[in-house]
């Protein structure tokens, strides 16, 4: 398989945080004010990393930062993390605790210091035991779900964010080229999966964005298939690969479907339909368009084809620090997409027992339209393997 010219280039970049910590935290103070609560709480995860500028593990030890709408933030930090926390440059009060002592006293001290009565938490991230610890420390504390507003700050990507995404995508595309060059009939899906993982790290990935999906023939008709060790690739198979590298904390998410040795007339027609739907997504994407409008236009291409009964999924989702984040590109979501939004455009058709085809690009919304951050070839590809 000929490697596109741009895949030979390592466009590695140094990613730095351009804004001081206090400025980043002030955004969450503004969210608290907008939500009408006294403070916002962040726990380790993508929002925490965006705000703090450093990632910390989420495990059995509670760890949180509380940012009031007014006044200095405060943090509850496991004692063993104090050395790492000192490198963050956090100016607020810090309440630490040791495993042997438990954390209830630290929670009580944190809330007494803050003197708040309401708190917005990350509904999809904060764990129940942290919620319970807050309520034990202050039973009258009102805790609400601020997930949409808190995570919404990540929707518009900064230039640093986009550079990190591009680095992850470039690594992924180089790895895919290496992997497809190595595919041979008779290999298992697991063999291809392992070759892909090795190529991702060889090309510079910090981690996998998610466990890759490598699926051939009838397995490709399962949108979230698992690679099989007991199936040997056969001539005429569709081979669907959905994967991504993680670099500088950001995730790529790319899918390409190729055919082995040859593609039947029906397979080519299915592929052409999905490709037209994918290209329609590129055509309509621009600042101010709604997620509904994009999905409606893309899905309409599939619905107007002879294969409409094989639609299984929406068009896509936001992409950044998480593989799936806001906005969700689906009918009924009338959220307007501002410039700086990155989303996946991944129409597919899935014929149970036969094959699946998905083509996925990572798209940056701009004022002028959109830019595809993915550049790997999309024309129907038959591997002579």
């Amino acid at each position: 398989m000929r490697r596109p010219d741009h895949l030979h280039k390592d466009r590695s970049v140094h990613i730095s945080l351009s804004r001081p910590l206090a400025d980043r935290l002030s955004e969450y103070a503004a969210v608290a004010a907008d939500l009408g609560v006294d403070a916002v709480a962040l726990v380790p995860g993508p929002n925490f990393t965006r705000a703090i500028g450093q990632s910390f593990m989420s495990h059995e030890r509670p760890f949180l930062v509380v940012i009031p709408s007014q006044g200095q933030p405060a943090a509850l930090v496991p004692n063993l993390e104090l050395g790492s926390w000192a490198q963050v440059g956090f100016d607020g009060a810090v309440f630490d605790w040791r495993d042997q002592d438990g954390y209830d006293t630290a929670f009580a001290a944190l809330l007494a210091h803050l003197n708040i009565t309401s708190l917005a938490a990350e509904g999809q991230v904060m764990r129940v035991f942290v919620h319970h610890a807050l309520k034990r420390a202050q039973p009258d504390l009102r805790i609400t779900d601020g997930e949409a507003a808190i995570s919404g700050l990540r929707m518009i990507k900064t230039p640093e964010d986009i550079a990190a995404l591009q680095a992850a995508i470039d690594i992924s595309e180089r790895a895919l080229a290496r992997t497809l060059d190595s595919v041979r009939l008779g290999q298992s899906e697991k063999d291809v999966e392992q070759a892909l993982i090795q190529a991702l790290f060889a090309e510079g990935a910090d981690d996998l964005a998610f466990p890759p999906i490598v699926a051939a023939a009838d397995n490709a008709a399962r949108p979230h298939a698992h690679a099989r060790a007991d199936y040997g690739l056969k001539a005429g198979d569709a081979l669907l690969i959905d994967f991504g590298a993680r670099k500088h904390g950001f995730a790529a998410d790319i899918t390409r479907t190729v055919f082995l040795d040859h593609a039947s007339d029906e397979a080519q027609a299915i592929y052409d339909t999905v490709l037209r739907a994918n290209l329609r997504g590129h055509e309509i994407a621009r600042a101010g368009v709604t997620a509904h409008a994009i999905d409606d236009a893309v899905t309409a291409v599939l619905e107007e084809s002879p294969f409409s009964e094989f639609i299984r999924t929406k068009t896509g989702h936001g992409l950044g620090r998480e593989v799936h984040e806001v906005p969700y590109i689906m009918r009924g979501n009338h959220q307007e997409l501002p410039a700086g939004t990155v989303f996946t455009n991944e129409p597919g058709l899935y014929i149970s027992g036969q094959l699946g085809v998905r083509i996925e690009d990572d798209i940056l919304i701009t004022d002028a339209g959109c830019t595809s951050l993915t550049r790997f070839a999309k024309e129907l590809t038959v591997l002579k393997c």
Side-chain angles (χ1 to χ4, degrees), residues 268-290:
Q268 292 182 49
I270 292 167
Y271 190 93
D272 179 65
T273 301
V274 174
L275 179 57
R276 285 191 290 108
N278 172 277
L279 294 174
R280 181 63 180 134
H282 287 260
E283 291 169 358
I284 193 173
R286 64 184 184 280
V289 73
T290 65

Side-chain angles (χ1 to χ4, degrees), residues 50-321:
R50 178 187 183 276
I52 299 302
Q54 184 172 325
S55 62
F56 287 87
M57 291 178 62
S58 180
H59 42 49
E60 78 278 8
R61 300 180 179 94
F63 192 158
L64 72 159
V65 174
V66 181
I67 305 112
S69 59
Q70 296 182 344
Q72 284 289 98
L76 185 142
V77 180
N79 182 270
L80 60 79
E81 298 280 19
L82 285 178
S84 297
W85 186 251
Q87 300 176 347
V88 169
F90 185 78
D91 290 333
V94 176
F95 300 86
D96 71 297
W97 59 278
R98 297 175 183 272
D99 288 349
Q100 56 269 39
D101 299 324
Y103 46 75
D104 280 348
T105 300
F107 271 95
L110 170 72
L111 290 175
H113 169 79
L114 288 165
N115 190 29
I116 60 176
T117 61
S118 57
L119 182 70
E122 303 164 90
Q124 294 182 18
V125 185
M126 180 179 280
R127 293 168 294 169
V128 173
F129 83 99
V130 177
H131 175 279
H132 287 357
L134 287 164
K135 293 293 285 185
R136 280 197 304 273
Q138 186 175 326
D140 65 349
L141 180 66
R142 180 170 62 90
I143 302 175
T144 59
D145 183 359
E147 176 72 37
I150 295 169
S151 294
L153 291 178
R154 303 204 319 265
M155 192 167 82
I156 300 177
K157 271 53 181 182
T158 67
E160 291 85 0
D161 295 343
I162 295 167
L165 276 164
Q166 189 68 71
I169 290 165
D170 289 349
I171 288 167
S172 302
E173 294 191 333
R174 295 195 302 269
L176 180 59
R178 288 175 58 155
T179 302
L180 293 179
D181 282 345
S182 72
V183 171
R184 299 292 181 269
L185 297 180
Q187 287 181 317
S188 70
E189 294 166 348
K190 275 289 185 185
D191 291 333
V192 178
E193 178 188 65
Q194 289 304 307
L196 176 63
I197 291 170
Q198 291 172 17
L200 283 164
F201 285 108
E203 291 292 347
D206 294 336
D207 200 352
L208 302 177
F210 55 93
I213 297 169
V214 177
D218 61 317
N219 201 25
R222 303 178 179 97
H224 290 162
H226 297 281
R228 300 173 292 191
D230 60 352
Y231 178 83
L233 301 180
K234 296 179 176 59
D237 280 354
L239 176 62
L240 185 154
I241 301 178
D242 184 345
F243 74 109
R246 184 172 290 277
K247 190 68 176 178
H248 305 301
F250 283 77
D253 188 5
I254 303 168
T255 308
R256 290 294 184 266
T257 306
V258 299
F259 295 89
L260 308 182
D261 186 68
H262 67 273
S264 69
D265 290 345
E266 182 184 40
Q268 292 182 49
I270 292 167
Y271 190 93
D272 179 65
T273 301
V274 174
L275 179 57
R276 285 191 290 108
N278 172 277
L279 294 174
R280 181 63 180 134
H282 287 260
E283 291 169 358
I284 193 173
R286 64 184 184 280
V289 73
T290 65
H292 169 96
I294 294 175
D295 185 44
D296 190 57
V298 171
T299 303
V301 175
L302 304 178
E303 290 173 336
E304 293 164 7
S305 78
F307 311 108
S308 60
E309 65 185 287
F310 305 119
I311 302 168
R312 297 284 183 271
T313 62
K314 62 182 183 293
T315 293
H317 51 81
L319 181 69
R321 292 186 182 274

